[in-house]
Amino acid sequence: MKILIAEDHPLFRSGVRNLLRTTDDLEVIGEASSGEEAVALAEQLHPDLVLMDIRMPGMNGIEATRIIKDKHPEIEVLMLTMFRDDQSVFTAMRVGAKGYILKDSDEEELLRSIRMVGNGGAVFSSDIASRMMHYFSQPQSVPVDDPAFSELTKRELEILERIAEGDSNAQIAARLHLSNKTVANYVSNILNKLQVSDRNAAKRLVQKTREE
């Protein structure tokens, strides 16, 4: 299995590389220290799996995963992170990651997770899995079947939901691992498509459709 490691901490990256070298079936074919490098190397090397850190300088691992999966859906992505928050997990899943493993996992768990995701499976710890089930069982804030929102993309609906909950652009950016500029562009598109003047009007529209 050909693996690309995307991790901005050289010491941790070296540790993972050395661990994989002890195996007969896992081969490191490239290393990236940023999301941009991960995207470029995935395009160039065509790995079977990318071991992707979420927090990296420049483009983060979530955005890098989104681009890689859009261009090469056959490449599997296993997120590697220190963060246990729900939003990181759900955002990673939405962009196509098949697993989410914490950096403090032991070596056997890491190797097992790589092999499972590389072979088409999915890996999430039991506590994360239970929170995921609870999260996805909750009703959506935005009634997506309403004709008023028919022109919005999945990402725009997601951001509209955060607007309806009263989040600022900065809060949305932090939750969805996007830049403030990207969120501002999405908000502008949403307002144009909904033909409303500002985010408060968009929020009122969501509240109105919930009541109908």
Side-chain angles (χ1 to χ4, degrees), residues 37-75:
E37 287 184 8
V39 170
L41 288 177
E43 182 74 28
Q44 177 184 342
L45 302 175
H46 300 284
D48 298 308
L49 178 142
V50 180
L51 191 59
M52 182 80 76
D53 187 17
I54 285 187
R55 300 290 176 89
M56 291 185 288
M59 181 189 296
N60 62 47
I62 297 288
E63 281 301 299
T65 297
R66 188 196 315 280
I67 295 171
I68 291 171
K69 293 298 292 185
D70 282 347
K71 292 184 176 180
H72 304 285
E74 74 281 2
I75 296 177

Side-chain angles (χ1 to χ4, degrees), residues 25-142:
D25 59 326
L26 305 175
E27 177 190 6
V28 177
I29 61 171
E31 298 180 27
S33 59
S34 69
E36 289 87 352
E37 287 184 8
V39 170
L41 288 177
E43 182 74 28
Q44 177 184 342
L45 302 175
H46 300 284
D48 298 308
L49 178 142
V50 180
L51 191 59
M52 182 80 76
D53 187 17
I54 285 187
R55 300 290 176 89
M56 291 185 288
M59 181 189 296
N60 62 47
I62 297 288
E63 281 301 299
T65 297
R66 188 196 315 280
I67 295 171
I68 291 171
K69 293 298 292 185
D70 282 347
K71 292 184 176 180
H72 304 285
E74 74 281 2
I75 296 177
E76 302 293 1
V77 179
L78 173 60
M79 308 305 292
L80 184 64
T81 182
M82 290 297 296
F83 299 92
R84 299 172 183 267
D85 62 289
D86 290 353
Q87 196 58 46
S88 294
V89 181
F90 303 145
T91 306
M93 287 182 61
R94 280 192 289 267
V95 299
K98 289 289 186 64
Y100 190 102
I101 187 167
L102 299 172
K103 288 184 177 180
D104 58 7
S105 301
D106 60 40
E107 294 180 349
E108 285 304 314
E109 184 177 0
L110 176 57
L111 292 175
R112 184 168 58 250
S113 298
I114 289 173
R115 292 183 174 113
M116 187 173 294
V117 172
N119 288 308
V123 175
F124 298 96
S125 65
S126 58
D127 63 319
I128 289 175
S130 64
R131 282 184 284 156
M132 284 164 47
M133 291 176 63
H134 175 74
Y135 178 87
F136 288 112
S137 68
Q138 302 304 305
Q140 288 183 295
S141 297
V142 177

Side-chain angles (χ1 to χ4, degrees), residues 138-200:
Q138 302 304 305
Q140 288 183 295
S141 297
V142 177
V144 296
D145 295 331
D146 193 288
F149 309 116
S150 61
E151 293 186 12
L152 299 185
T153 66
K154 184 177 180 180
R155 173 60 88 179
E156 288 167 347
L157 284 168
E158 189 174 23
I159 290 175
L160 178 59
E161 181 174 342
R162 300 318 315 162
I163 292 174
E165 294 302 317
D167 286 1
S168 66
N169 283 9
Q171 290 171 319
I172 295 172
R175 288 180 65 91
L176 301 185
H177 302 282
L178 299 171
S179 69
N180 288 336
K181 182 178 179 181
T182 298
V183 171
N185 289 337
Y186 273 122
V187 171
S188 178
N189 290 339
I190 291 168
L191 299 182
N192 286 335
K193 288 182 178 181
L194 296 182
Q195 298 182 351
V196 295
S197 58
D198 56 36
R199 62 196 303 123
N200 288 328

